[in-house]
mmCIF file of all heavy atoms in Angstrom:
data_model
loop_
_atom_site.group_PDB
_atom_site.id
_atom_site.type_symbol
_atom_site.label_atom_id
_atom_site.label_comp_id
_atom_site.label_asym_id
_atom_site.label_seq_id
_atom_site.Cartn_x
_atom_site.Cartn_y
_atom_site.Cartn_z
ATOM 1 N N LEU A 299 -73.434 -135.761 -24.366
ATOM 2 C CA LEU A 299 -74.129 -135.826 -23.094
ATOM 3 C C LEU A 299 -73.695 -134.614 -22.265
ATOM 4 O O LEU A 299 -72.532 -134.243 -22.273
ATOM 5 C CB LEU A 299 -73.714 -137.122 -22.385
ATOM 6 C CG LEU A 299 -74.747 -137.909 -21.590
ATOM 7 C CD1 LEU A 299 -76.001 -138.177 -22.411
ATOM 8 C CD2 LEU A 299 -74.151 -139.233 -21.126
ATOM 9 N N ALA A 300 -74.652 -134.017 -21.525
ATOM 10 C CA ALA A 300 -74.298 -132.908 -20.631
ATOM 11 C C ALA A 300 -73.313 -133.406 -19.583
ATOM 12 O O ALA A 300 -73.399 -134.550 -19.154
ATOM 13 C CB ALA A 300 -75.549 -132.368 -19.954
ATOM 14 N N PRO A 301 -72.367 -132.534 -19.148
ATOM 15 C CA PRO A 301 -71.372 -132.945 -18.162
ATOM 16 C C PRO A 301 -71.999 -133.615 -16.937
ATOM 17 O O PRO A 301 -71.513 -134.658 -16.492
ATOM 18 C CB PRO A 301 -70.679 -131.632 -17.789
ATOM 19 C CG PRO A 301 -70.804 -130.790 -19.003
ATOM 20 C CD PRO A 301 -72.112 -131.156 -19.639
ATOM 21 N N LEU A 302 -73.098 -133.054 -16.422
ATOM 22 C CA LEU A 302 -73.697 -133.667 -15.228
ATOM 23 C C LEU A 302 -74.340 -135.009 -15.538
ATOM 24 O O LEU A 302 -74.484 -135.846 -14.650
ATOM 25 C CB LEU A 302 -74.705 -132.729 -14.554
ATOM 26 C CG LEU A 302 -74.123 -131.670 -13.615
ATOM 27 C CD1 LEU A 302 -75.239 -130.977 -12.835
ATOM 28 C CD2 LEU A 302 -73.092 -132.235 -12.646
ATOM 29 N N GLU A 338 -60.272 -135.838 7.914
ATOM 30 C CA GLU A 338 -59.327 -135.179 7.003
ATOM 31 C C GLU A 338 -58.846 -136.155 5.931
ATOM 32 O O GLU A 338 -58.751 -135.820 4.756
ATOM 33 C CB GLU A 338 -58.122 -134.603 7.768
ATOM 34 C CG GLU A 338 -58.505 -133.458 8.673
ATOM 35 C CD GLU A 338 -57.360 -132.465 8.919
ATOM 36 O OE1 GLU A 338 -56.284 -132.594 8.295
ATOM 37 O OE2 GLU A 338 -57.556 -131.551 9.738
ATOM 38 N N LEU A 341 -61.622 -136.620 3.399
ATOM 39 C CA LEU A 341 -61.714 -135.480 2.483
ATOM 40 C C LEU A 341 -60.645 -135.585 1.409
ATOM 41 O O LEU A 341 -60.885 -135.296 0.234
ATOM 42 C CB LEU A 341 -61.566 -134.166 3.253
ATOM 43 C CG LEU A 341 -62.727 -133.782 4.181
ATOM 44 C CD1 LEU A 341 -62.344 -132.585 5.044
ATOM 45 C CD2 LEU A 341 -63.990 -133.474 3.378
ATOM 46 N N ALA A 342 -59.448 -136.009 1.808
ATOM 47 C CA ALA A 342 -58.364 -136.156 0.836
ATOM 48 C C ALA A 342 -58.703 -137.243 -0.175
ATOM 49 O O ALA A 342 -58.423 -137.113 -1.368
ATOM 50 C CB ALA A 342 -57.053 -136.477 1.551
ATOM 51 N N ALA A 345 -61.240 -135.843 -2.540
ATOM 52 C CA ALA A 345 -60.589 -134.890 -3.442
ATOM 53 C C ALA A 345 -59.835 -135.626 -4.535
ATOM 54 O O ALA A 345 -59.800 -135.183 -5.698
ATOM 55 C CB ALA A 345 -59.641 -133.978 -2.659
ATOM 56 N N LEU A 360 -63.749 -131.898 -22.444
ATOM 57 C CA LEU A 360 -64.296 -130.793 -21.666
ATOM 58 C C LEU A 360 -63.180 -129.817 -21.311
ATOM 59 O O LEU A 360 -62.068 -130.230 -20.971
ATOM 60 C CB LEU A 360 -64.930 -131.334 -20.376
ATOM 61 C CG LEU A 360 -66.307 -130.774 -20.028
ATOM 62 C CD1 LEU A 360 -67.309 -131.165 -21.099
ATOM 63 C CD2 LEU A 360 -66.769 -131.285 -18.673
ATOM 64 N N THR A 363 -61.460 -125.945 -16.707
ATOM 65 C CA THR A 363 -62.169 -125.406 -15.536
ATOM 66 C C THR A 363 -63.546 -126.026 -15.393
ATOM 67 O O THR A 363 -63.982 -126.352 -14.283
ATOM 68 C CB THR A 363 -62.319 -123.875 -15.642
ATOM 69 O OG1 THR A 363 -61.049 -123.324 -15.920
ATOM 70 C CG2 THR A 363 -62.836 -123.293 -14.342
ATOM 71 N N THR A 364 -64.234 -126.191 -16.533
ATOM 72 C CA THR A 364 -65.554 -126.824 -16.508
ATOM 73 C C THR A 364 -65.436 -128.253 -15.974
ATOM 74 O O THR A 364 -66.273 -128.701 -15.178
ATOM 75 C CB THR A 364 -66.150 -126.865 -17.931
ATOM 76 O OG1 THR A 364 -66.019 -125.558 -18.502
ATOM 77 C CG2 THR A 364 -67.610 -127.261 -17.907
ATOM 78 N N LEU A 367 -64.914 -128.103 -12.188
ATOM 79 C CA LEU A 367 -66.153 -127.712 -11.511
ATOM 80 C C LEU A 367 -67.163 -128.857 -11.516
ATOM 81 O O LEU A 367 -67.755 -129.193 -10.478
ATOM 82 C CB LEU A 367 -66.738 -126.483 -12.209
ATOM 83 C CG LEU A 367 -67.985 -125.870 -11.588
ATOM 84 C CD1 LEU A 367 -67.694 -125.328 -10.199
ATOM 85 C CD2 LEU A 367 -68.531 -124.753 -12.483
ATOM 86 N N ALA A 368 -67.348 -129.475 -12.685
ATOM 87 C CA ALA A 368 -68.306 -130.583 -12.797
ATOM 88 C C ALA A 368 -67.899 -131.734 -11.872
ATOM 89 O O ALA A 368 -68.736 -132.330 -11.194
ATOM 90 C CB ALA A 368 -68.387 -131.052 -14.243
ATOM 91 N N GLU A 370 -66.006 -131.601 -9.101
ATOM 92 C CA GLU A 370 -66.178 -131.219 -7.686
ATOM 93 C C GLU A 370 -67.646 -131.325 -7.286
ATOM 94 O O GLU A 370 -67.985 -131.806 -6.205
ATOM 95 C CB GLU A 370 -65.706 -129.767 -7.456
ATOM 96 C CG GLU A 370 -64.215 -129.539 -7.634
ATOM 97 C CD GLU A 370 -63.412 -129.913 -6.394
ATOM 98 O OE1 GLU A 370 -64.022 -130.161 -5.340
ATOM 99 O OE2 GLU A 370 -62.177 -129.978 -6.481
ATOM 100 N N ILE A 371 -68.516 -130.848 -8.166
ATOM 101 C CA ILE A 371 -69.952 -130.896 -7.887
ATOM 102 C C ILE A 371 -70.439 -132.341 -7.870
ATOM 103 O O ILE A 371 -71.247 -132.732 -7.016
ATOM 104 C CB ILE A 371 -70.705 -130.037 -8.920
ATOM 105 C CG1 ILE A 371 -70.460 -128.575 -8.595
ATOM 106 C CG2 ILE A 371 -72.188 -130.367 -8.945
ATOM 107 C CD1 ILE A 371 -70.970 -127.622 -9.634
ATOM 108 N N ALA A 374 -69.329 -133.869 -4.615
ATOM 109 C CA ALA A 374 -70.150 -133.317 -3.523
ATOM 110 C C ALA A 374 -71.504 -134.019 -3.485
ATOM 111 O O ALA A 374 -71.999 -134.405 -2.412
ATOM 112 C CB ALA A 374 -70.327 -131.805 -3.698
ATOM 113 N N LYS A 377 -71.089 -137.628 -2.188
ATOM 114 C CA LYS A 377 -70.942 -137.630 -0.731
ATOM 115 C C LYS A 377 -72.310 -137.506 -0.054
ATOM 116 O O LYS A 377 -72.633 -138.260 0.869
ATOM 117 C CB LYS A 377 -70.040 -136.441 -0.352
ATOM 118 C CG LYS A 377 -69.536 -136.420 1.054
ATOM 119 C CD LYS A 377 -68.611 -135.201 1.226
ATOM 120 C CE LYS A 377 -68.762 -134.594 2.609
ATOM 121 N NZ LYS A 377 -68.104 -133.268 2.694
ATOM 122 N N VAL A 378 -73.115 -136.548 -0.520
ATOM 123 C CA VAL A 378 -74.452 -136.354 0.053
ATOM 124 C C VAL A 378 -75.310 -137.601 -0.179
ATOM 125 O O VAL A 378 -76.006 -138.069 0.731
ATOM 126 C CB VAL A 378 -75.117 -135.092 -0.550
ATOM 127 C CG1 VAL A 378 -76.597 -135.022 -0.190
ATOM 128 C CG2 VAL A 378 -74.387 -133.835 -0.065
ATOM 129 N N ARG A 382 -77.155 -140.018 2.615
ATOM 130 C CA ARG A 382 -78.605 -140.263 2.635
ATOM 131 C C ARG A 382 -78.885 -141.765 2.600
ATOM 132 O O ARG A 382 -79.742 -142.281 3.322
ATOM 133 C CB ARG A 382 -79.270 -139.594 1.433
ATOM 134 C CG ARG A 382 -79.176 -138.084 1.500
ATOM 135 C CD ARG A 382 -79.563 -137.441 0.184
ATOM 136 N NE ARG A 382 -80.984 -137.113 0.128
ATOM 137 C CZ ARG A 382 -81.558 -136.495 -0.901
ATOM 138 N NH1 ARG A 382 -80.842 -136.173 -1.975
ATOM 139 N NH2 ARG A 382 -82.830 -136.214 -0.881
ATOM 140 N N THR A 399 -80.111 -136.791 -5.980
ATOM 141 C CA THR A 399 -79.257 -135.700 -5.511
ATOM 142 C C THR A 399 -78.795 -134.833 -6.677
ATOM 143 O O THR A 399 -78.804 -133.608 -6.593
ATOM 144 C CB THR A 399 -78.055 -136.269 -4.730
ATOM 145 O OG1 THR A 399 -78.543 -137.149 -3.714
ATOM 146 C CG2 THR A 399 -77.253 -135.170 -4.085
ATOM 147 N N ILE A 403 -79.819 -130.582 -7.849
ATOM 148 C CA ILE A 403 -78.952 -129.445 -8.191
ATOM 149 C C ILE A 403 -79.695 -128.460 -9.098
ATOM 150 O O ILE A 403 -79.568 -127.255 -8.959
ATOM 151 C CB ILE A 403 -77.647 -129.943 -8.852
ATOM 152 C CG1 ILE A 403 -76.811 -130.705 -7.816
ATOM 153 C CG2 ILE A 403 -76.849 -128.777 -9.429
ATOM 154 C CD1 ILE A 403 -75.556 -131.322 -8.369
ATOM 155 N N ARG A 404 -80.472 -129.006 -10.032
ATOM 156 C CA ARG A 404 -81.258 -128.151 -10.922
ATOM 157 C C ARG A 404 -82.180 -127.218 -10.141
ATOM 158 O O ARG A 404 -82.363 -126.065 -10.514
ATOM 159 C CB ARG A 404 -82.108 -129.026 -11.849
ATOM 160 C CG ARG A 404 -81.593 -129.112 -13.257
ATOM 161 C CD ARG A 404 -82.531 -129.990 -14.086
ATOM 162 N NE ARG A 404 -82.224 -131.406 -13.837
ATOM 163 C CZ ARG A 404 -81.377 -132.105 -14.590
ATOM 164 N NH1 ARG A 404 -80.800 -131.550 -15.625
ATOM 165 N NH2 ARG A 404 -81.114 -133.361 -14.325
ATOM 166 N N LEU A 406 -81.777 -126.034 -7.222
ATOM 167 C CA LEU A 406 -81.101 -125.055 -6.365
ATOM 168 C C LEU A 406 -81.113 -123.669 -6.988
ATOM 169 O O LEU A 406 -80.847 -122.681 -6.319
ATOM 170 C CB LEU A 406 -79.653 -125.479 -6.105
ATOM 171 C CG LEU A 406 -79.469 -126.741 -5.274
ATOM 172 C CD1 LEU A 406 -77.994 -127.041 -5.131
ATOM 173 C CD2 LEU A 406 -80.100 -126.566 -3.901
ATOM 174 N N THR A 407 -81.401 -123.604 -8.282
ATOM 175 C CA THR A 407 -81.437 -122.292 -8.926
ATOM 176 C C THR A 407 -82.837 -121.682 -8.862
ATOM 177 O O THR A 407 -83.036 -120.566 -9.308
ATOM 178 C CB THR A 407 -80.977 -122.393 -10.395
ATOM 179 O OG1 THR A 407 -81.778 -123.380 -11.040
ATOM 180 C CG2 THR A 407 -79.521 -122.804 -10.481
ATOM 181 N N ALA A 408 -83.801 -122.426 -8.303
ATOM 182 C CA ALA A 408 -85.163 -121.891 -8.136
ATOM 183 C C ALA A 408 -85.347 -121.410 -6.696
ATOM 184 O O ALA A 408 -84.755 -121.985 -5.774
ATOM 185 C CB ALA A 408 -86.182 -122.973 -8.454
ATOM 186 N N PRO A 409 -86.170 -120.352 -6.485
ATOM 187 C CA PRO A 409 -86.382 -119.875 -5.123
ATOM 188 C C PRO A 409 -86.845 -121.008 -4.209
ATOM 189 O O PRO A 409 -87.537 -121.919 -4.651
ATOM 190 C CB PRO A 409 -87.491 -118.830 -5.276
ATOM 191 C CG PRO A 409 -87.362 -118.358 -6.680
ATOM 192 C CD PRO A 409 -86.892 -119.548 -7.472
ATOM 193 N N ALA A 410 -86.439 -120.965 -2.943
ATOM 194 C CA ALA A 410 -86.803 -122.005 -1.970
ATOM 195 C C ALA A 410 -88.298 -122.213 -1.972
ATOM 196 O O ALA A 410 -89.077 -121.263 -2.028
ATOM 197 C CB ALA A 410 -86.317 -121.607 -0.580
ATOM 198 N N PRO A 416 -93.360 -116.633 -1.827
ATOM 199 C CA PRO A 416 -94.076 -116.985 -0.590
ATOM 200 C C PRO A 416 -94.631 -115.738 0.094
ATOM 201 O O PRO A 416 -94.169 -114.625 -0.191
ATOM 202 C CB PRO A 416 -92.989 -117.643 0.270
ATOM 203 C CG PRO A 416 -91.714 -117.078 -0.263
ATOM 204 C CD PRO A 416 -91.921 -116.766 -1.706
ATOM 205 N N PRO B 146 -87.060 -114.174 -0.712
ATOM 206 C CA PRO B 146 -87.399 -115.272 -1.619
ATOM 207 C C PRO B 146 -86.338 -115.382 -2.694
ATOM 208 O O PRO B 146 -86.480 -114.860 -3.785
ATOM 209 C CB PRO B 146 -88.750 -114.851 -2.203
ATOM 210 C CG PRO B 146 -88.761 -113.356 -2.077
ATOM 211 C CD PRO B 146 -87.632 -112.912 -1.208
ATOM 212 N N LEU B 147 -85.261 -116.076 -2.370
ATOM 213 C CA LEU B 147 -84.112 -116.162 -3.266
ATOM 214 C C LEU B 147 -83.760 -117.639 -3.427
ATOM 215 O O LEU B 147 -83.801 -118.397 -2.470
ATOM 216 C CB LEU B 147 -82.933 -115.411 -2.612
ATOM 217 C CG LEU B 147 -81.994 -114.598 -3.489
ATOM 218 C CD1 LEU B 147 -82.753 -113.627 -4.385
ATOM 219 C CD2 LEU B 147 -81.004 -113.831 -2.624
ATOM 220 N N ALA B 148 -83.398 -118.055 -4.652
ATOM 221 C CA ALA B 148 -82.974 -119.444 -4.870
ATOM 222 C C ALA B 148 -81.734 -119.725 -4.024
ATOM 223 O O ALA B 148 -80.904 -118.834 -3.830
ATOM 224 C CB ALA B 148 -82.650 -119.649 -6.345
ATOM 225 N N PRO B 149 -81.581 -120.971 -3.547
ATOM 226 C CA PRO B 149 -80.425 -121.308 -2.716
ATOM 227 C C PRO B 149 -79.089 -120.880 -3.339
ATOM 228 O O PRO B 149 -78.233 -120.306 -2.662
ATOM 229 C CB PRO B 149 -80.516 -122.829 -2.582
ATOM 230 C CG PRO B 149 -81.968 -123.129 -2.699
ATOM 231 C CD PRO B 149 -82.531 -122.103 -3.643
ATOM 232 N N LEU B 150 -78.926 -121.129 -4.651
ATOM 233 C CA LEU B 150 -77.635 -120.765 -5.256
ATOM 234 C C LEU B 150 -77.473 -119.249 -5.350
ATOM 235 O O LEU B 150 -76.353 -118.745 -5.401
ATOM 236 C CB LEU B 150 -77.463 -121.408 -6.636
ATOM 237 C CG LEU B 150 -76.942 -122.853 -6.637
ATOM 238 C CD1 LEU B 150 -76.591 -123.290 -8.049
ATOM 239 C CD2 LEU B 150 -75.721 -123.038 -5.735
ATOM 240 N N GLU B 186 -54.353 -131.415 2.790
ATOM 241 C CA GLU B 186 -55.369 -132.048 3.644
ATOM 242 C C GLU B 186 -55.943 -131.033 4.624
ATOM 243 O O GLU B 186 -57.150 -130.992 4.859
ATOM 244 C CB GLU B 186 -54.776 -133.250 4.409
ATOM 245 C CG GLU B 186 -54.424 -134.402 3.497
ATOM 246 C CD GLU B 186 -54.479 -135.775 4.194
ATOM 247 O OE1 GLU B 186 -54.926 -135.849 5.360
ATOM 248 O OE2 GLU B 186 -54.067 -136.762 3.557
ATOM 249 N N LEU B 189 -58.333 -128.759 2.768
ATOM 250 C CA LEU B 189 -59.622 -129.421 2.509
ATOM 251 C C LEU B 189 -60.485 -129.396 3.770
ATOM 252 O O LEU B 189 -61.695 -129.176 3.699
ATOM 253 C CB LEU B 189 -59.394 -130.871 2.060
ATOM 254 C CG LEU B 189 -58.785 -131.052 0.667
ATOM 255 C CD1 LEU B 189 -58.418 -132.523 0.453
ATOM 256 C CD2 LEU B 189 -59.743 -130.585 -0.419
ATOM 257 N N ALA B 190 -59.854 -129.613 4.924
ATOM 258 C CA ALA B 190 -60.609 -129.582 6.178
ATOM 259 C C ALA B 190 -61.157 -128.183 6.438
ATOM 260 O O ALA B 190 -62.281 -128.005 6.904
ATOM 261 C CB ALA B 190 -59.717 -130.029 7.335
ATOM 262 N N ALA B 193 -64.086 -127.683 4.160
ATOM 263 C CA ALA B 193 -65.230 -128.465 4.649
ATOM 264 C C ALA B 193 -65.891 -127.757 5.825
ATOM 265 O O ALA B 193 -67.120 -127.776 5.967
ATOM 266 C CB ALA B 193 -64.769 -129.860 5.060
ATOM 267 N N LEU B 208 -84.100 -123.729 4.901
ATOM 268 C CA LEU B 208 -83.859 -124.736 3.866
ATOM 269 C C LEU B 208 -83.817 -126.125 4.502
ATOM 270 O O LEU B 208 -83.262 -126.301 5.581
ATOM 271 C CB LEU B 208 -82.521 -124.441 3.181
ATOM 272 C CG LEU B 208 -82.531 -124.520 1.653
ATOM 273 C CD1 LEU B 208 -83.460 -123.461 1.079
ATOM 274 C CD2 LEU B 208 -81.139 -124.350 1.099
ATOM 275 N N THR B 211 -80.899 -131.626 3.841
ATOM 276 C CA THR B 211 -80.084 -132.195 2.759
ATOM 277 C C THR B 211 -79.841 -131.171 1.655
ATOM 278 O O THR B 211 -78.738 -131.071 1.112
ATOM 279 C CB THR B 211 -80.767 -133.435 2.157
ATOM 280 O OG1 THR B 211 -81.133 -134.317 3.207
ATOM 281 C CG2 THR B 211 -79.843 -134.146 1.210
ATOM 282 N N THR B 212 -80.884 -130.402 1.331
ATOM 283 C CA THR B 212 -80.736 -129.361 0.312
ATOM 284 C C THR B 212 -79.699 -128.331 0.755
ATOM 285 O O THR B 212 -78.863 -127.882 -0.047
ATOM 286 C CB THR B 212 -82.084 -128.652 0.079
ATOM 287 O OG1 THR B 212 -83.095 -129.638 -0.090
ATOM 288 C CG2 THR B 212 -82.029 -127.758 -1.142
ATOM 289 N N LEU B 215 -76.220 -129.889 0.366
ATOM 290 C CA LEU B 215 -75.850 -129.970 -1.047
ATOM 291 C C LEU B 215 -75.506 -128.587 -1.604
ATOM 292 O O LEU B 215 -74.474 -128.402 -2.266
ATOM 293 C CB LEU B 215 -77.009 -130.595 -1.827
ATOM 294 C CG LEU B 215 -76.768 -130.852 -3.310
ATOM 295 C CD1 LEU B 215 -75.678 -131.889 -3.507
ATOM 296 C CD2 LEU B 215 -78.053 -131.304 -3.994
ATOM 297 N N GLU B 218 -72.140 -127.435 -0.165
ATOM 298 C CA GLU B 218 -70.999 -128.159 -0.750
ATOM 299 C C GLU B 218 -70.707 -127.630 -2.161
ATOM 300 O O GLU B 218 -69.560 -127.435 -2.551
ATOM 301 C CB GLU B 218 -71.295 -129.663 -0.838
ATOM 302 C CG GLU B 218 -71.410 -130.368 0.500
ATOM 303 C CD GLU B 218 -70.057 -130.756 1.082
ATOM 304 O OE1 GLU B 218 -69.042 -130.642 0.382
ATOM 305 O OE2 GLU B 218 -70.030 -131.159 2.261
ATOM 306 N N ILE B 219 -71.775 -127.437 -2.923
ATOM 307 C CA ILE B 219 -71.611 -126.944 -4.289
ATOM 308 C C ILE B 219 -71.091 -125.512 -4.282
ATOM 309 O O ILE B 219 -70.228 -125.141 -5.081
ATOM 310 C CB ILE B 219 -72.947 -127.070 -5.048
ATOM 311 C CG1 ILE B 219 -73.191 -128.552 -5.351
ATOM 312 C CG2 ILE B 219 -72.964 -126.225 -6.308
ATOM 313 C CD1 ILE B 219 -74.549 -128.837 -5.914
ATOM 314 N N ALA B 222 -67.431 -125.652 -3.470
ATOM 315 C CA ALA B 222 -66.699 -126.170 -4.637
ATOM 316 C C ALA B 222 -66.510 -125.057 -5.665
ATOM 317 O O ALA B 222 -65.417 -124.882 -6.225
ATOM 318 C CB ALA B 222 -67.448 -127.357 -5.246
ATOM 319 N N LYS B 225 -63.911 -122.497 -4.421
ATOM 320 C CA LYS B 225 -62.553 -123.024 -4.590
ATOM 321 C C LYS B 225 -62.088 -122.834 -6.041
ATOM 322 O O LYS B 225 -60.985 -122.348 -6.293
ATOM 323 C CB LYS B 225 -62.577 -124.511 -4.226
ATOM 324 C CG LYS B 225 -61.254 -125.181 -4.078
ATOM 325 C CD LYS B 225 -61.471 -126.648 -3.639
ATOM 326 C CE LYS B 225 -60.460 -127.556 -4.284
ATOM 327 N NZ LYS B 225 -60.802 -128.986 -4.116
ATOM 328 N N VAL B 226 -62.950 -123.209 -6.981
ATOM 329 C CA VAL B 226 -62.611 -123.055 -8.403
ATOM 330 C C VAL B 226 -62.430 -121.575 -8.745
ATOM 331 O O VAL B 226 -61.476 -121.189 -9.429
ATOM 332 C CB VAL B 226 -63.696 -123.709 -9.291
ATOM 333 C CG1 VAL B 226 -63.520 -123.328 -10.753
ATOM 334 C CG2 VAL B 226 -63.668 -125.230 -9.128
ATOM 335 N N ARG B 230 -59.090 -119.664 -10.252
ATOM 336 C CA ARG B 230 -59.101 -118.904 -11.517
ATOM 337 C C ARG B 230 -58.592 -117.492 -11.286
ATOM 338 O O ARG B 230 -57.808 -116.959 -12.069
ATOM 339 C CB ARG B 230 -60.521 -118.857 -12.085
ATOM 340 C CG ARG B 230 -61.019 -120.213 -12.525
ATOM 341 C CD ARG B 230 -62.502 -120.205 -12.785
ATOM 342 N NE ARG B 230 -62.801 -119.905 -14.188
ATOM 343 C CZ ARG B 230 -64.048 -119.906 -14.678
ATOM 344 N NH1 ARG B 230 -65.082 -120.158 -13.893
ATOM 345 N NH2 ARG B 230 -64.256 -119.634 -15.942
ATOM 346 N N THR B 247 -68.484 -118.588 -12.163
ATOM 347 C CA THR B 247 -68.385 -120.009 -11.835
ATOM 348 C C THR B 247 -69.750 -120.565 -11.440
ATOM 349 O O THR B 247 -70.132 -121.654 -11.866
ATOM 350 C CB THR B 247 -67.351 -120.221 -10.708
ATOM 351 O OG1 THR B 247 -66.120 -119.603 -11.100
ATOM 352 C CG2 THR B 247 -67.103 -121.692 -10.460
ATOM 353 N N ALA B 250 -71.840 -121.008 -14.428
ATOM 354 C CA ALA B 250 -71.411 -122.160 -15.229
ATOM 355 C C ALA B 250 -72.105 -123.441 -14.770
ATOM 356 O O ALA B 250 -72.271 -124.372 -15.554
ATOM 357 C CB ALA B 250 -69.893 -122.324 -15.150
ATOM 358 N N ILE B 251 -72.519 -123.488 -13.503
ATOM 359 C CA ILE B 251 -73.196 -124.686 -12.994
ATOM 360 C C ILE B 251 -74.471 -124.961 -13.798
ATOM 361 O O ILE B 251 -74.784 -126.103 -14.107
ATOM 362 C CB ILE B 251 -73.507 -124.539 -11.487
ATOM 363 C CG1 ILE B 251 -72.194 -124.541 -10.704
ATOM 364 C CG2 ILE B 251 -74.421 -125.662 -11.004
ATOM 365 C CD1 ILE B 251 -72.357 -124.291 -9.227
ATOM 366 N N ARG B 252 -75.180 -123.887 -14.147
ATOM 367 C CA ARG B 252 -76.393 -124.040 -14.945
ATOM 368 C C ARG B 252 -76.106 -124.750 -16.270
ATOM 369 O O ARG B 252 -76.902 -125.551 -16.743
ATOM 370 C CB ARG B 252 -76.984 -122.656 -15.259
ATOM 371 C CG ARG B 252 -78.183 -122.302 -14.422
ATOM 372 C CD ARG B 252 -78.675 -120.921 -14.809
ATOM 373 N NE ARG B 252 -77.881 -119.900 -14.108
ATOM 374 C CZ ARG B 252 -78.260 -119.363 -12.953
ATOM 375 N NH1 ARG B 252 -79.386 -119.728 -12.389
ATOM 376 N NH2 ARG B 252 -77.518 -118.455 -12.363
ATOM 377 N N LEU B 254 -73.829 -126.884 -16.916
ATOM 378 C CA LEU B 254 -73.355 -128.265 -16.796
ATOM 379 C C LEU B 254 -74.453 -129.261 -17.117
ATOM 380 O O LEU B 254 -74.191 -130.439 -17.333
ATOM 381 C CB LEU B 254 -72.840 -128.533 -15.379
ATOM 382 C CG LEU B 254 -71.580 -127.785 -14.980
ATOM 383 C CD1 LEU B 254 -71.196 -128.149 -13.562
ATOM 384 C CD2 LEU B 254 -70.434 -128.110 -15.916
ATOM 385 N N THR B 255 -75.700 -128.778 -17.127
ATOM 386 C CA THR B 255 -76.799 -129.689 -17.444
ATOM 387 C C THR B 255 -77.090 -129.711 -18.942
ATOM 388 O O THR B 255 -77.938 -130.471 -19.392
ATOM 389 C CB THR B 255 -78.076 -129.297 -16.671
ATOM 390 O OG1 THR B 255 -78.363 -127.930 -16.945
ATOM 391 C CG2 THR B 255 -77.872 -129.454 -15.173
ATOM 392 N N ALA B 256 -76.378 -128.885 -19.706
ATOM 393 C CA ALA B 256 -76.544 -128.891 -21.166
ATOM 394 C C ALA B 256 -75.423 -129.704 -21.806
ATOM 395 O O ALA B 256 -74.308 -129.742 -21.288
ATOM 396 C CB ALA B 256 -76.506 -127.460 -21.695
ATOM 397 N N PRO B 257 -75.685 -130.376 -22.955
ATOM 398 C CA PRO B 257 -74.625 -131.157 -23.605
ATOM 399 C C PRO B 257 -73.388 -130.306 -23.856
ATOM 400 O O PRO B 257 -73.501 -129.109 -24.125
ATOM 401 C CB PRO B 257 -75.261 -131.598 -24.926
ATOM 402 C CG PRO B 257 -76.724 -131.583 -24.659
ATOM 403 C CD PRO B 257 -76.954 -130.451 -23.681
ATOM 404 N N ALA B 258 -72.215 -130.911 -23.764
ATOM 405 C CA ALA B 258 -70.949 -130.206 -23.964
ATOM 406 C C ALA B 258 -70.972 -129.461 -25.280
ATOM 407 O O ALA B 258 -71.434 -129.968 -26.295
ATOM 408 C CB ALA B 258 -69.788 -131.198 -23.943
#
Side-chain angles (χ1 to χ4, degrees):
Chain A
L299 218 51
L302 277 190
E338 293 207 6
L341 290 171
L360 226 64
T363 309
T364 311
L367 184 64
E370 293 278 350
I371 287 172
K377 192 178 144 192
V378 169
R382 294 168 91 177
T399 307
I403 292 176
R404 255 181 279 267
L406 293 179
T407 54
Chain B
L147 218 52
L150 276 190
E186 292 207 7
L189 290 171
L208 225 63
T211 310
T212 312
L215 184 65
E218 293 277 351
I219 287 172
K225 191 177 143 192
V226 169
R230 293 167 92 177
T247 307
I251 292 175
R252 257 180 277 266
L254 293 180
T255 54

